[in-house]
Amino acid sequence: MDVSGIEQLSICIRYINHVNGAEICEEYWLEKWGLEIDYLRGQGYDGASAMSGHVSGVQQRMKELQPRALFTHCRSHALNLVVVHGCSDIPLIRNTMATIENIAVFFSASAVRKHMLQEEPKGSMETHSSVKRKTGGIPLMSDTRWGSRGKTVGAFLDHFKSAHSALTDLESRTSSNSNKANNLRHSMESFDTIVTAVTTNKILGYIQPLTKELQSPNIDLMTAYKEAREVAQVISTLRNEEGFCDIYAQSIELASTIDVVPSKKRVTNRQQNRANTPSQSIEEHYRLNLFYPFIDHVTSQLNTRFVENSEPAMLATYLIPSALSRLTKDKQEMMVSWYREDLPQPDSIDQEIHRWKVKNQPPTLLVSTAKDTLNMINVQYYPNIHCILSIYLTLPVTTCSCERSFSALRRLKTWLRSSIGNDRLSGLAMMHVHRNRALDPEKVLKRWDASGHRRATGLAGQGVVSSETMDYHSIAGDNDSEGDNKSQEELGDGHGLMAKQTQLLIHRF
């Protein structure tokens, strides 16, 4: 819903462009273009029940019209849910996230306070991203902005010492925010906050690259599942004493910058509001009550939300040379039965797959992605396999492209332009999203001229030209004497007139 209360719909079409090799493209369609639903093979939405509901959601209604439209829950939304639940289900992390968010809000509410966080980078060994975070303040958290939690925690650790000094300075002043600064400073001086922030930043650092990768239009479904499982496997290898040793040492070093001594909460027989696992040392306490539960929760969420899809359409990944040896007879029959209606030569698919297996036997250098396989395949020899992989690559992975269009909508339709019409808004949105494409001004003006919505009209058939059009011609025409001898027929020619109007408008812009 935009600022004027009108619900907007953004539709992104994912297809394969075979002009210069196999290129996965995602285009925006903001109007009804008469697309045939018979060619629909995949649909993707976020997790809202209105879109993803299996009873009366959009995906179910689309399946009633086209049963072969495979539904995919946006993988970027699924990964964001992993981070959100991981940071909210564990008490220590939930409390620390609330503290960091309050500190970020406190400093972002005032330009003076935000300037107090900006410190000059020390030394020449700091990375560009670290320098950018130190001079950019602490960004706000958001449950819907992917990767925001990792960026916020990282910026909080970069600004830790300067934030503590700023809060101490603000606390000593007589103002309405002194009490709030005092509470935030005491929260920062808790060793729970320090060790939890370092632990969270460490684990989320493994998820951050996956967040960016899932937003790429070139990724396919099985690659997304594979990358997520690999991240879960890597994080699970940290679940030992050595994995937490470096985190604890970094926490002690960070605590020493503000003179905080490591400590732990007392252990009671009955405790419901925080972790209470018995431990012999401070390090063991945080390892058992913070580090291990967080790793278990994140890996469990990743394995649950990124479980391999068992739909027959996903079996096309076994045609990739690196996975071809695992293509059994049963899997091949299920795959062929789902794709048979779209195959150009369905009667020879079994022989074609057999030739494909013989061609891609080890020790041949085997391709490991569907896109690379589609680029190397000869469509004349393997038309069915080419068709199967093309359809598979069009299956949606995320809805990032649609999300970007709504981000553009907030920049286009503002409170000062809340009465803009839908047609104009759609055109502006398309120009904004595809701003890298070159536009032909003459074609734009010809289309506008054909619409009839113009104030200056030249009647070519009657040889009548308005005074405003004559001014266009006199300004945009030639400066030599031949320009004054133009015949009335040439002035009445629509194409010549529009070309001169185009030149004039370009000069005005």
Side-chain angles (χ1 to χ4, degrees), residues 414-431:
T414 61
W415 291 107
L416 298 178
R417 293 185 290 187
S418 60
S419 61
I420 186 173
N422 286 333
D423 293 338
R424 182 180 178 87
L425 178 62
S426 298
L428 290 175
M430 295 289 286
M431 292 178 63

Side-chain angles (χ1 to χ4, degrees), residues 20 26 154 312 420:
N20 296 320
E26 292 183 352
I420 186 173

Side-chain angles (χ1 to χ4, degrees), residues 210-257:
L210 180 61
T211 303
K212 297 180 180 179
E213 180 66 20
L214 290 179
Q215 299 180 34
S216 172
N218 294 321
I219 193 171
D220 59 88
L221 278 173
M222 291 307 298
T223 302
Y225 293 137
K226 179 182 177 182
E227 294 292 339
R229 290 194 297 269
E230 288 181 355
V231 170
Q233 184 178 1
V234 171
I235 293 177
S236 63
T237 59
L238 299 174
R239 198 184 186 281
N240 50 54
E241 295 183 6
E242 296 180 359
F244 184 70
C245 184
D246 294 337
I247 295 177
Y248 188 72
Q250 184 179 355
S251 302
I252 294 178
E253 181 180 358
L254 186 63
S256 63
T257 59

